[in-house]
């Protein structure tokens, strides 16, 4: 349990650093580039805001678990439960296959309208497939 507590404390510090550092970097980059807020920067701010809200909820959850033994034990059981681990692995495998098929299908459909979008979607599908193959090779050698 002590190892899990140390691991949780490390995650807490990393998450806290990211929650403080990322908004600072965005503000500094906005000041340095003196760029008007446009669609792209709005998308970036929206994505970062969503990630920060999620990180703050996770920080609160980890902080309360570190200061409450019952919640710490419950969190430990959740993270080490074999059924949950297998469920996550199967979910990720299925979601990856569905995502690759959908992106590939979208690339084919987009080719009728805009070749640039079609190529971008095809490149995303190829990149995702390549990362999957590399990770699978890594884990085959590791295990």
């Amino acid at each position: 349990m002590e190892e899990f507590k140390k691991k949780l404390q490390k995650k807490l510090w990393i998450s806290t650093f990211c929650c403080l550092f990322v908004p600072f970097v965005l503000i500094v980059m906005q000041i340095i580039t003196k760029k008007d807020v446009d669609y792209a920067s709005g998308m970036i701010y929206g994505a970062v805001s969503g990630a920060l809200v999620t990180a703050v909820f996770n920080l609160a959850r980890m902080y309360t678990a570190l200061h409450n033994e019952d919640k710490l034990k419950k969190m430990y059981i959740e993270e080490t439960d074999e059924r949950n681990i297998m469920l996550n692995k199967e979910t990720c495998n299925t979601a990856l296959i569905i995502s690759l098929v959908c992106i590939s299908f979208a690339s084919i459909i987009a080719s009728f309208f805009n070749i640039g979008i079609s190529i971008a979607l095809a490149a995303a599908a190829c990149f995702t497939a390549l990362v999957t193959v590399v990770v699978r090779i890594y884990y085959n050698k590791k295990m």
Side-chain angles (χ1 to χ4, degrees):
M1 188 63 87
E2 274 307 307
E3 286 181 39
F4 181 70
K5 201 172 191 176
K6 287 179 183 177
K7 180 180 172 184
L8 205 57
Q9 286 173 336
K10 185 178 179 181
K11 282 183 181 180
L12 184 75
W13 283 109
I14 291 171
S15 295
T16 303
F17 176 76
C18 289
C19 283
L20 297 174
F21 185 68
V22 170
F24 175 75
V25 169
L26 283 177
I27 292 168
V28 168
M29 291 304 295
Q30 189 72 38
I31 291 169
I32 290 173
T33 60
K34 297 178 184 169
K35 186 177 175 187
D36 292 335
V37 177
D38 59 352
Y39 179 78
S41 59
M43 291 289 289
I44 293 168
Y45 286 126
V48 169
S49 297
L52 286 175
V53 167
T54 303
V56 168
F57 279 113
N58 284 334
L59 281 171
R61 195 175 65 104
M62 287 187 284
Y63 184 80
T64 56
L66 285 170
H67 292 86
N68 184 334
E69 278 299 314
D70 292 334
K71 288 184 180 181
L72 184 66
K73 287 179 185 177
K74 186 178 177 183
M75 187 180 278
Y76 175 77
I77 290 169
E78 284 177 10
E79 288 196 18
T80 58
D81 183 33
E82 291 178 13
R83 183 178 181 277
N84 287 340
I85 292 170
M86 287 305 297
L87 187 63
N88 286 340
K89 286 180 181 178
E90 289 301 316
T91 301
C92 288
N93 284 336
T94 304
L96 176 67
I97 291 168
I98 291 170
S99 296
L100 277 172
V101 168
C102 288
I103 292 171
S104 299
F105 188 66
S107 175
I108 292 168
I109 291 173
S111 69
F112 292 105
F113 302 103
N114 187 323
I115 193 70
I117 293 172
S118 177
I119 291 171
L121 287 169
C126 289
F127 177 75
T128 304
L130 179 67
V131 168
T132 302
V133 169
V134 169
V135 169
R136 187 156 290 167
I137 290 169
Y138 170 76
Y139 278 116
N140 275 335
K141 288 184 179 182
K142 185 178 178 183
M143 294 180 173

